[in-house]
Amino acid sequence: MLALKYLLITGGLGMILVAMSILAYDLYRELMYRRALSAAPTGTLPPLPQLRWRTSLALALLAWGPLLLAFSIVVVPSGTAGVRVSQTSGTQPGTLYPGVHFVTPLVEEVALFDTRDQIFTTGTTEDGRAAGNVTAKSQLLDVQAKEGLTLGLAITVRYRLDPKRLDYIQGSLPRPVEKEIVPPTVASVWRELVPNYTVRDVFSAKREEVRQRAAGLITQKLAADGIVVKEVMLRDIQLPPEYAQGLETLLLKEQENDRMGVETELKQKQVRIAELEAEATKVQQIKQAEGEAQVHVLQAKGESDAMQYTLPLKEKQIQQSKLEAEARKEATIQNAEAAAQAKVIDSKAESERRTLLAEAEAGRIRVTAAADAERLQSEGAILKQNPLLINKIVAERLSDKLQIMMVPADGKFFFANDVLHSMSAANQASQAEQSEAQPR
């Protein structure tokens, strides 16, 4: 259809060009004729050719046919839509979707709109470059939080024009919509909403809530202008440097608190598991105890039934035990009497033994005394016969304390003579005492 349109336009323009060419040629011929007429004598030139203005006018009028037909053909490209705009009645209702449409030439025109998804973004894109489309801003959206601190928001809004409301957009909204409507609406919503929250809420605690509320308000406001919002993304939040440092410390503490909460919950679950295991063990022990009790009851019943037969036997055993106890008692008494008699006999024998020992000791002493007396008498007799034995005995007794010196026995050394005389006197005295003691 585009080829036909361009062909009609070419044909119409060609016919107009031919008509103009005819008129130009005729004018050129007339001009040349007038020049020749001024130079040549009268009557020698052929008659003046007539201008073919009727032919040119006919061709020009016929040229408007294909041109008007071509102007009545409008092709709406893919991804766009259009509305009819009349020079007499303004914007016409209805939407022209992609394809071929016919309009009133020279009276109506078609305003085209891009109906594909468009992006409005603040800040930089994910690859670090500023967004390059017509709806982008390289700066972050500055908003103030509840504390009065300024936040920089990196926002992306995905939207498209509602094809059903293009007539309203064309007739009521400023153009282009991407620059005149979307950016101020998005900025006003965020600047109205964020001051209701603290910086901490916007950054972490209620970030999704803030995004959802902003998306709802933006969708509601832009929907009234025929703009369909598909998605509102809060990509990044730039905090004030001093607050960012403090918030980072606070987030670390909150993470530590969350970790401790998880550990505490795990410990509680472990305690709960231990309680359940203890209860299961308790129930098992109760069941086991009930079983054992039933077994004991059955055993007791069996023993009770058996006692009916064993009681007479037990009574006989008791009587026999009593008789045996009496026999053991009598045997014990007899054993005690025999033991007493044995102790008496033992005491008498001990007394006699001691008497005999005393008599034996006295006899030994007398015999020892007599033997000592006889020994002394024999030693005295020997000393009388050999007085030099005294020196020998003295030397033997004093050998470990004194040094012995041998001297002649002729009486020239007074010390030896005195010692010998004293020893002999002592021997005589002892013999006299013994002689006096023997008669007694």
Side-chain angles (χ1 to χ4, degrees), residues 191-434:
R191 286 170 179 162
E192 291 175 3
L193 181 62
V194 173
N196 298 322
Y197 296 89
T198 62
V199 176
R200 182 183 176 187
D201 292 339
V202 176
F203 185 75
S204 61
K206 298 181 179 180
R207 183 169 182 169
E208 182 61 21
E209 177 184 341
V210 173
R211 188 199 65 79
Q212 290 179 357
R213 290 188 60 185
L217 293 175
I218 292 172
T219 302
Q220 181 180 357
K221 288 188 175 183
L222 293 181
D225 293 331
I227 300 174
V228 179
V229 178
K230 289 189 174 181
E231 186 178 8
V232 176
M233 293 175 283
L234 180 56
R235 304 194 322 273
D236 192 15
I237 300 175
Q238 184 177 359
L239 300 175
E242 62 279 2
Y243 188 86
Q245 185 176 1
L247 183 60
E248 183 179 359
T249 304
L250 182 61
L251 290 176
L252 292 175
K253 291 182 179 180
E254 289 183 353
Q255 291 177 0
E256 182 67 19
N257 187 25
D258 294 340
R259 185 184 65 80
M260 294 180 65
V262 173
E263 292 180 355
T264 302
E265 185 178 357
L266 181 60
K267 294 293 184 182
Q268 291 177 354
K269 290 182 179 179
Q270 292 178 352
V271 171
R272 181 58 181 168
I273 292 173
E275 291 177 354
L276 294 176
E277 291 179 351
E279 290 179 359
T281 304
K282 180 180 178 181
V283 172
Q284 184 178 2
Q285 291 177 353
I286 291 173
K287 295 295 183 180
Q288 185 177 359
E290 291 177 353
E292 292 178 353
Q294 292 177 359
V295 171
H296 289 317
V297 169
L298 295 176
Q299 291 179 352
K301 289 182 179 179
E303 291 177 356
S304 177
D305 296 337
M307 287 297 291
Q308 296 177 0
Y309 302 98
T310 56
L311 282 176
L313 180 60
K314 292 293 184 181
E315 290 178 355
K316 292 181 181 179
Q317 291 177 353
I318 291 170
Q319 291 178 359
Q320 183 178 359
S321 299
K322 288 181 179 179
L323 294 176
E324 290 178 354
E326 291 177 357
R328 284 195 297 272
K329 181 178 179 181
E330 292 178 356
T332 302
I333 294 171
Q334 293 178 358
N335 292 332
E337 292 176 352
Q341 293 177 0
K343 287 183 178 180
V344 172
I345 294 172
D346 290 338
S347 60
K348 289 180 179 180
E350 181 66 21
S351 177
E352 293 177 355
R353 185 181 66 80
R354 291 180 178 178
T355 302
L356 293 175
L357 289 174
E359 291 177 353
E361 182 66 21
R364 186 185 65 76
I365 292 171
R366 286 194 297 271
V367 173
T368 304
D372 290 337
E374 290 179 356
R375 184 179 57 79
L376 291 173
Q377 287 178 0
S378 60
E379 288 180 354
I382 293 171
L383 289 174
K384 287 180 179 180
Q385 294 176 4
N386 298 305
L388 296 175
L389 292 175
I390 295 174
N391 297 332
K392 180 178 180 298
I393 294 170
V394 171
E396 291 176 353
R397 297 287 178 85
L398 298 176
S399 62
D400 56 345
K401 297 179 180 179
L402 299 176
Q403 291 182 356
I404 301 174
M405 182 176 63
M406 302 299 294
V407 297
D410 56 359
K412 293 181 179 180
F413 297 94
F414 65 91
F415 177 76
N417 290 333
D418 291 338
V419 173
L420 294 175
H421 285 304
S422 62
M423 291 177 63
S424 63
N427 290 330
Q428 289 177 3
S430 63
Q431 289 179 2
E433 289 176 0
Q434 289 179 1

Side-chain angles (χ1 to χ4, degrees), residues 84-93 104 106-109 167 171:
R84 291 183 177 91
V85 180
S86 175
Q87 301 294 330
T88 59
S89 60
T91 304
Q92 299 296 319
T104 303
L106 302 179
V107 178
E108 294 180 349
E109 62 178 358
D167 51 354

